[in-house]
Amino acid sequence: MPPHVDEDVSATPEAVPRDSLRKRAIRGSVVTAGGQGISMVLRFVSNWMVAELLLPDMLGLANTVNAVVIGLQMISDIGVHQNIIQHDRDDARFLDTAFTVSLLRGVLLFLLGCVLAYPASWWYERPELIALLPVTALSALFN
């Protein structure tokens, strides 16, 4: 059916020019790369500030604890967050299962951090690690 004379033709879908897939892909890539670049700059500045505020001995201890905890989290990543994002339906049962799996992973990582605390303190000859590793491993419960 042809549009009437008094209708706004510019509002019809045929009259609105659409961006090509290539333009949208380029725009998305630029936004993603820009976000990554900004994130890296902020991470560098925050690390530099922490390095200036802490004594070298404490900075090394903090980096050791972070390396162990982040390493545990990276090794045990099973893709729960990615599955939630790519799941196409709003399914409460699926989300409950994903939450439970994520919580169990966090509890296991915390317990593993507790178990590794003594061997790490012996290996690095730093008794502070016995307390620091379990406390830092608590972050796995909230990740």
Side-chain angles (χ1 to χ4, degrees):
M1 176 175 211
H4 296 295
V5 176
D6 58 346
E7 285 186 22
D8 184 15
V9 179
S10 64
T12 61
E14 296 86 20
V16 178
R18 295 183 182 217
D19 286 339
S20 69
L21 179 61
R22 181 179 175 180
K23 286 182 182 178
R24 291 189 313 191
I26 290 172
R27 187 179 317 127
S29 298
V30 168
V31 168
T32 301
Q36 282 292 97
I38 290 170
S39 173
M40 290 173 67
V41 168
L42 289 174
R43 199 172 325 143
F44 173 76
V45 169
S46 67
N47 284 338
W48 178 61
M49 290 172 62
V50 168
E52 289 295 320
L53 293 173
L54 291 178
L55 297 172
D57 191 40
M58 292 296 122
L59 180 64
L61 188 63
N63 286 339
T64 301
V65 169
N66 281 334
V68 170
V69 171
I70 291 172
L72 288 174
Q73 289 179 354
M74 291 178 71
I75 288 172
S76 68
D77 186 14
I78 54 176
V80 173
H81 298 291
Q82 293 84 354
N83 281 317
I84 291 172
I85 290 171
Q86 293 194 359
H87 191 68
D88 57 351
R89 294 185 310 261
D90 187 23
D91 185 7
R93 190 168 166 200
F94 171 76
L95 294 176
D96 290 342
T97 303
F99 174 77
T100 304
V101 168
S102 184
L103 185 65
L104 287 174
R105 175 183 169 262
V107 169
L108 288 174
L109 285 178
F110 168 69
L111 293 174
L112 192 58
C114 291
V115 168
L116 289 176
Y118 181 75
S121 70
W122 174 79
W123 178 263
Y124 290 109
E125 297 175 354
R126 300 296 303 256
E128 302 96 342
L129 287 175
I130 293 174
L132 289 175
L133 265 173
V135 169
T136 309
L138 275 173
S139 68
L141 294 174
F142 306 106
N143 191 1

